[in-house]
Amino acid sequence: MKTNSLFYHLFQNFPSIFFELIGHPPTETNGYEFQSVEIKDTNQRLDGVFIPAKRTRQPIYFVEVQAQFDEDFYYRFFTEIFLYLGNNKSNRDWFAVAIYPRRIIEPVIPRPYQWLVESDHIKRFYLDELGLIANQSLGLGMLKLLVEDEPKAQQRAEYLIHQIQQLTPTNEQPKLAELLTTILAYKFPESGIKELTKMFELNDLKQSKLYQEAKTEGKLETVPLLLELGLTVERIAQELQLDLEAVKEAAKELASQATSLE
């Protein structure tokens, strides 16, 4: 699965994790909508924008996840931000957040933008440096899981499973379990769903979309995600116990939607 898609899924479904990351209370999520925004008249797109409700004075937050080295990253990021502000005639304050798996991936900051990066308008985060704070927060622990090597990933996953089962309300557990299993599938794309279930003892989290044995149409909602993870339609049909033709139809619809956006 593309890392940016995974983060988009994460912040769209659990926006409180973003506000935890930047040191704000999770309740600040109220009044915001997270979107991936296409810049008009260009071929550029912002990974994510937290857009505040119109009647509030809250700032706009621009979020970009940079998983690979790109020496032009800051040129592109700031260009997209200022195009967005100009196109929307925004009069709000704004902040930008750049997220890197590791510090080594960050490119040299171009001189014209150094003052911006050094200001309080820009925050940079390196997931492998989250440290102890990742153990104190379920959401930040899931972010840290993305950059752990296999032995540490298994240990952290087991700890997160315990947090979900023991420390979260019952009605919130299925959605959190789905997020965790999505991240695990991203981390271990070569492992089948049944193998992951056994590896991390996820049998108690059966309401997760990726692991439940439901035979309803809702199961097809996971097909686009699993396709991005690199599974074949045959493997998806086998693991989800779905009809092969139904999976092919879902894949065809996904391809059609992608073509219409080009």
Side-chain angles (χ1 to χ4, degrees):
M1 181 179 189
K2 295 180 179 179
T3 306
N4 289 9
S5 298
L6 180 60
F7 275 90
Y8 182 82
H9 173 83
L10 189 152
F11 288 142
Q12 187 175 52
N13 289 278
F14 299 92
S16 61
I17 295 177
F18 169 78
F19 289 98
E20 279 191 84
L21 179 66
I22 65 174
H24 292 205
T27 53
E28 193 166 325
T29 301
N30 298 332
Y32 276 95
E33 180 181 358
F34 182 70
Q35 298 181 4
S36 177
V37 177
E38 184 175 358
I39 307 299
K40 294 180 180 179
D41 302 322
T42 73
N43 293 322
Q44 296 171 305
R45 174 179 291 274
L46 285 158
D47 275 359
V49 184
F50 280 94
I51 302 174
K54 292 183 178 180
R55 296 184 180 181
T56 68
R57 296 183 178 180
Q58 294 169 297
I60 301 170
Y61 288 98
F62 299 96
V63 189
E64 191 84 5
V65 178
Q66 190 60 32
Q68 298 178 339
F69 177 78
D70 179 1
E71 62 181 358
D72 295 329
F73 168 71
Y74 283 111
Y75 289 108
R76 173 173 51 81
F77 191 26
F78 289 120
T79 296
E80 291 168 350
I81 289 173
F82 288 113
L83 280 173
Y84 175 91
L85 295 173
N87 288 343
N88 291 276
K89 303 295 186 293
S90 176
N91 196 35
R92 292 179 181 273
D93 201 355
W94 63 272
F95 296 92
V97 175
I99 301 173
Y100 300 94
R102 297 172 178 81
R103 188 180 294 268
I104 195 173
I105 293 175
E106 183 179 19
V108 174
I109 301 167
R111 184 175 295 277
Y113 299 119
Q114 286 183 353
W115 67 274
L116 263 176
V117 176
E118 293 169 1
S119 74
D120 62 356
H121 278 266
I122 309 297
K123 291 186 177 182
R124 295 170 290 164
F125 294 94
Y126 313 95
L127 297 185
D128 66 332
E129 298 180 16
L130 287 179
L132 292 177
I133 190 173
N135 296 330
Q136 301 167 355
S137 163
L138 178 60
L140 297 185
M142 290 193 183
L143 286 182
K144 185 68 180 293
L145 177 61
L146 285 166
V147 295
E148 300 280 33
D149 56 28
E150 186 167 337
K152 290 183 178 179
Q154 182 167 348
Q155 183 179 16
R156 182 169 295 281
E158 291 170 352
Y159 178 68
L160 291 171
I161 291 167
H162 171 77
Q163 285 185 297
I164 292 173
Q165 293 173 328
Q166 303 297 325
L167 304 178
T168 60
T170 303
N171 64 325
E172 296 179 9
Q173 290 185 13
K175 196 172 183 180
L176 289 167
E178 180 186 352
L179 175 60
L180 177 57
T181 52
T182 299
I183 294 174
L184 289 176
Y186 165 77
K187 289 288 293 183
F188 303 100
E190 299 302 320
S191 298
I193 292 174
K194 293 180 181 179
E195 287 82 356
L196 284 176
T197 302
K198 183 177 180 180
M199 185 188 305
F200 295 103
E201 298 180 353
L202 290 168
N203 292 322
D204 291 336
L205 302 179
K206 292 180 181 178
Q207 295 187 63
S208 168
K209 285 185 180 178
L210 288 176
Y211 291 82
Q212 64 184 342
E213 296 180 352
K215 296 181 180 179
T216 64
E217 287 298 318
K219 196 66 176 179
L220 290 171
E221 294 178 5
T222 66
V223 171
L225 175 61
L226 294 174
L227 287 170
E228 290 191 16
L229 289 171
L231 275 70
T232 64
V233 289
E234 290 80 8
R235 184 65 180 277
I236 294 171
Q238 177 185 351
E239 298 290 357
L240 298 183
Q241 299 181 0
L242 289 172
D243 180 73
L244 179 59
E245 291 304 317
V247 175
K248 287 182 177 179
E249 188 64 30
K252 182 179 179 181
E253 182 178 348
L254 176 65
S256 176
Q257 291 174 352
T259 301
S260 65
L261 293 174
E262 295 178 352

